[in-house]
Amino acid sequence: MRIVYSASEMQAIANKYREWGKRIGFVPTMGYLHEGHLSLVRQAKQDNDVVFVSIFVNPLQFAPNEDLDKYPRDIERDESLLNKEGVDFVFYPSVEDMYPDGFQTYVEVDKLTKVLEGKSRPTHFRGVTTVVAKLFNIAKPHRAYFGKKDAQQLIVIKRMVKDLNMDIEIIGMPIVRESDGLALSSRNKYLNQKEREQAVCLYKALMKAKELIETGQRDADVIKEEMKKVIEGYPLAKIDYIDINSLSTLEQLKQVKEGDTLVSLAVFLGSTRLIDNMWF
Amino acid sequence: MRIVYSASEMQAIANKYREWGKRIGFVPTMGYLHEGHLSLVRQAKQDNDVVFVSIFVNPLQFAPNEDLDKYPRDIERDESLLNKEGVDFVFYPSVEDMYPDGFQTYVEVDKLTKVLEGKSRPTHFRGVTTVVAKLFNIAKPHRAYFGKKDAQQLIVIKRMVKDLNMDIEIIGMPIVRESDGLALSSRNKYLNQKEREQAVCLYKALMKAKELIETGQRDADVIKEEMKKVIEGYPLAKIDYIDINSLSTLEQLKQVKEGDTLVSLAVFLGSTRLIDNMWF
């Protein structure tokens, strides 16, 4: 496994593999890797001739009041994990290399980014799509892998790829969970023991939604109300949003639509904001 | 020469040439071709193994009050001209193929687009950078050619390419002029005989600037004032702007800076808006 620090060097390597007719699989991450990331890496290994993983905590997708500075980092542990998985190249650029003086170009997806996470974090997705567009141009993958935990991110990136005619297959991978149901996230590290215990509330609320839908409930307001009640059983939890949307347009649904429904929520545990979702 | 109507087909052709190790030269146009365009095509022929030309009147770069509907089109003449130049592929997509239902992704360059043309045409460059990003992803060129007549466009596209790590060499080609100095433009077609005669005022004003700079004048206000006087000698001409800017940042200059000065202007002849510029 080789660590590449410069964008131009990474791009030159990608060009070589393309010249050789090799299929490139790419997993963009912000590091502090967990089993969720590793499940993407394993799928990328299986599908492609060569696997690139990027580790870059992207300042552009954090608002000034968010957790950029305290976002957890452990590059040595990340490298060791990726090495074990047989990753070929880790791209680990500096902020200065990604955003040099004079940088001023942004990629923006419009409507899909105005709801859910985009409503709570108005500049977030512009940062995501801009960095992902850059990373795609650097790593030149045939396939790129994203977790479904960031459901809206996955939907927004698929839209960008389609709208800008990027010749890349975007693959969404299932959420990986702890034994109690908590979705894996680098941000889980922020939780103290009590918060960690109560963080299961997101999963419990989603399970309640699943149970209601499976027993025939279709009314989105009823389902959201029942989810809210679940969360309210956990005193350390504060709801940011609970929503039910179309998977294709992210428009709010009044009725659950088979095969096109995203149930998602964001909840604060103390000062830590967690998200989770299910697709129906 | 082959005409390709679909983006996915054009992209498949580009992929084939890349697999074969061929260098792709690309000239994006809005059609109604003149010698200016053909000079780009000839350079592209000289530099590359295969040449793609796109013809697409891009609605996204026209404001509602602008000349999208009357923009001149003559695809048969264009095809015949490109065929004579030995172009390999003409990409001639429909608006529906470029902007299908649900399209909502934009590429925006920030500061460079807020001045000059961008000030007069606030949504113009967003349309340009979005369509050029799409065309680059479709045609996958090694080199792309743009005329210096649209100086700001060239500078904005270079910035986009750098900021988004697009692996494409952008080549700016000299302005081609009529014998009296009028810069070639598809929009010259709009001019009636009297307007056409007076349209030379843009070139005359630039010649005045050149003369002043060559005889040691460095004060931008003085130069602009003298250019204004030249234009005012033509009763059908109405100045939109006359400006002197840094070529690298497009910031307004008080003093002409050797090697980094763009003198540019936009002038209405009747209802037709013409632009021209010189680099010093």
Side-chain angles (χ1 to χ4, degrees):
Chain A
M1 193 179 76
R2 207 173 120 199
I3 320 289
V4 178
Y5 299 93
S6 114
S8 57
E9 196 187 342
M10 189 72 252
Q11 197 170 50
I13 292 166
N15 279 333
K16 276 291 161 219
Y17 278 93
R18 286 226 163 219
E19 269 173 39
W20 297 331
K22 301 296 182 193
R23 309 289 292 177
I24 301 170
F26 179 48
V27 183
T29 80
M30 299 211 300
Y32 212 76
L33 305 174
H34 51 62
E35 276 296 314
H37 300 106
L38 298 181
S39 74
L40 311 182
V41 170
R42 283 170 204 140
Q43 189 66 45
K45 279 293 288 180
Q46 211 172 303
D47 297 346
N48 303 281
D49 299 315
V50 60
V51 172
F52 300 169
V53 175
S54 66
I55 297 180
F56 180 60
V57 182
N58 174 35
L60 216 59
Q61 71 192 67
F62 290 80
N65 62 328
E66 290 179 352
D67 58 344
L68 173 61
D69 289 337
K70 70 165 185 169
Y71 195 87
R73 292 157 166 93
D74 190 343
I75 183 70
E76 281 176 26
R77 186 172 154 278
D78 289 347
E79 283 177 21
S80 145
L81 287 169
L82 295 174
N83 197 26
K84 271 184 216 140
E85 297 297 336
V87 166
D88 301 281
F89 292 90
V90 174
F91 177 47
Y92 182 53
S94 66
V95 172
E96 293 68 31
D97 195 30
M98 291 295 276
Y99 303 116
D101 275 353
F103 178 90
Q104 56 184 288
T105 304
Y106 302 93
V107 179
E108 289 202 70
V109 175
D110 187 9
K111 284 178 237 145
L112 290 175
T113 64
K114 303 291 180 263
V115 296
L116 300 171
E117 286 299 288
K119 207 168 175 180
S120 295
R121 309 178 69 190
T123 60
H124 173 66
F125 284 113
R126 189 179 87 151
V128 170
T129 44
T130 300
V131 83
V132 170
K134 283 171 66 68
L135 290 169
F136 282 177
N137 286 329
I138 293 165
K140 303 198 173 184
H142 295 82
R143 297 190 188 86
Y145 299 79
F146 294 85
K148 285 189 175 178
K149 204 200 86 197
D150 296 298
Q152 189 176 8
Q153 169 177 283
L154 175 60
I155 291 163
V156 165
I157 286 170
K158 280 188 172 176
R159 185 79 240 175
M160 170 184 78
V161 163
K162 185 176 155 73
D163 284 351
L164 297 186
N165 305 86
M166 292 173 171
D167 197 8
I168 301 169
E169 188 184 349
I170 302 299
I171 293 157
M173 294 288 292
I175 297 175
V176 178
R177 300 181 178 281
E178 301 280 4
S179 56
D180 68 348
L182 176 64
L184 295 196
S185 165
S186 308
R187 288 187 171 101
N188 292 349
K189 180 190 154 66
Y190 299 150
L191 303 169
N192 65 31
Q193 199 198 321
K194 282 194 177 158
E195 289 163 352
R196 171 63 192 85
E197 281 164 24
Q198 298 198 12
V200 73
C201 67
L202 288 91
Y203 181 66
K204 295 285 185 201
L206 288 168
M207 282 296 106
K208 170 57 82 175
K210 186 166 189 273
E211 174 200 319
L212 288 166
I213 292 170
E214 282 175 1
T215 55
Q217 183 57 261
R218 290 290 173 272
D219 187 311
D221 284 338
V222 172
I223 297 166
K224 287 191 268 186
E225 193 52 40
E226 290 297 317
M227 290 175 72
K228 190 169 165 238
K229 281 185 202 156
V230 171
I231 304 287
E232 285 169 351
Y234 295 81
L236 295 179
K238 201 177 138 276
I239 297 168
D240 183 8
Y241 65 78
I242 297 175
D243 220 338
I244 299 183
N245 302 69
S246 155
L247 266 172
S248 45
T249 65
L250 291 183
E251 282 164 342
Q252 234 173 24
L253 294 179
K254 283 185 194 302
Q255 295 282 319
V256 170
K257 234 168 99 189
E258 195 124 14
D260 185 33
T261 298
L262 172 69
V263 179
S264 64
L265 72 170
V267 174
F268 282 94
L269 275 299
S271 61
T272 302
R273 187 171 174 281
L274 300 179
I275 60 174
D276 203 346
N277 69 82
M278 281 188 184
W279 304 35
F280 294 98
Chain B
M1 193 180 76
R2 207 174 121 197
I3 321 288
V4 178
Y5 298 94
S6 111
S8 58
E9 197 187 341
M10 189 70 252
Q11 197 170 52
I13 291 166
N15 279 333
K16 275 289 162 220
Y17 277 92
R18 287 226 164 219
E19 270 174 39
W20 297 331
K22 301 296 183 194
R23 309 290 293 177
I24 301 170
F26 179 49
V27 183
T29 81
M30 300 213 299
Y32 210 75
L33 305 175
H34 51 62
E35 277 296 315
H37 300 106
L38 299 181
S39 73
L40 310 183
V41 170
R42 283 171 204 139
Q43 189 65 46
K45 279 292 288 181
Q46 211 171 301
D47 297 346
N48 304 281
D49 300 314
V50 60
V51 172
F52 300 170
V53 175
S54 66
I55 297 180
F56 181 60
V57 182
N58 173 33
L60 216 58
Q61 70 192 70
F62 290 80
N65 63 328
E66 290 180 350
D67 58 344
L68 173 62
D69 290 337
K70 71 164 185 169
Y71 195 87
R73 292 159 165 92
D74 189 344
I75 183 71
E76 281 176 26
R77 187 174 153 276
D78 288 346
E79 282 176 21
S80 145
L81 287 169
L82 295 174
N83 196 27
K84 271 185 214 138
E85 297 296 336
V87 166
D88 301 280
F89 292 90
V90 174
F91 177 48
Y92 182 52
S94 66
V95 172
E96 293 69 31
D97 195 29
M98 291 295 275
Y99 302 116
D101 275 355
F103 178 90
Q104 58 184 288
T105 304
Y106 303 92
V107 179
E108 288 202 72
V109 174
D110 187 11
K111 286 178 236 144
L112 290 174
T113 64
K114 302 292 181 263
V115 296
L116 300 171
E117 286 298 289
K119 206 167 174 181
S120 295
R121 309 178 68 190
T123 61
H124 173 66
F125 284 113
R126 187 178 87 151
V128 170
T129 43
T130 300
V131 82
V132 170
K134 283 171 66 69
L135 290 169
F136 282 176
N137 285 331
I138 293 165
K140 303 197 173 183
H142 295 82
R143 297 189 189 87
Y145 299 79
F146 294 86
K148 285 189 176 179
K149 205 200 83 195
D150 295 300
Q152 189 176 8
Q153 170 177 282
L154 175 59
I155 291 163
V156 165
I157 287 169
K158 280 188 172 176
R159 186 79 241 176
M160 170 184 78
V161 164
K162 185 176 156 69
D163 283 352
L164 296 186
N165 306 84
M166 292 172 170
D167 196 7
I168 301 169
E169 189 183 348
I170 302 300
I171 292 158
M173 294 289 292
I175 297 175
V176 179
R177 299 181 178 281
E178 302 280 6
S179 55
D180 68 346
L182 176 65
L184 295 195
S185 164
S186 308
R187 289 189 170 100
N188 293 348
K189 180 191 154 66
Y190 300 150
L191 303 169
N192 67 30
Q193 200 198 320
K194 282 193 177 160
E195 289 164 352
R196 170 62 191 84
E197 282 164 25
Q198 298 198 12
V200 74
C201 66
L202 288 91
Y203 182 65
K204 296 285 187 201
L206 289 168
M207 283 296 106
K208 171 57 84 178
K210 186 167 188 273
E211 176 200 320
L212 289 166
I213 292 170
E214 282 175 1
T215 56
Q217 183 56 261
R218 290 289 174 273
D219 187 311
D221 284 338
V222 172
I223 297 166
K224 287 191 265 185
E225 193 51 39
E226 289 298 318
M227 291 175 72
K228 190 169 164 235
K229 282 185 200 154
V230 172
I231 305 287
E232 285 169 352
Y234 296 81
L236 296 179
K238 202 178 138 275
I239 297 167
D240 184 6
Y241 65 79
I242 296 175
D243 221 337
I244 299 183
N245 303 68
S246 155
L247 267 172
S248 45
T249 65
L250 292 183
E251 282 164 342
Q252 236 172 23
L253 294 179
K254 284 184 194 300
Q255 295 282 319
V256 169
K257 233 167 102 190
E258 196 123 15
D260 186 33
T261 298
L262 172 70
V263 179
S264 65
L265 71 172
V267 174
F268 282 96
L269 275 298
S271 61
T272 303
R273 188 172 175 280
L274 299 179
I275 60 173
D276 203 346
N277 68 82
M278 280 188 185
W279 305 35
F280 295 98

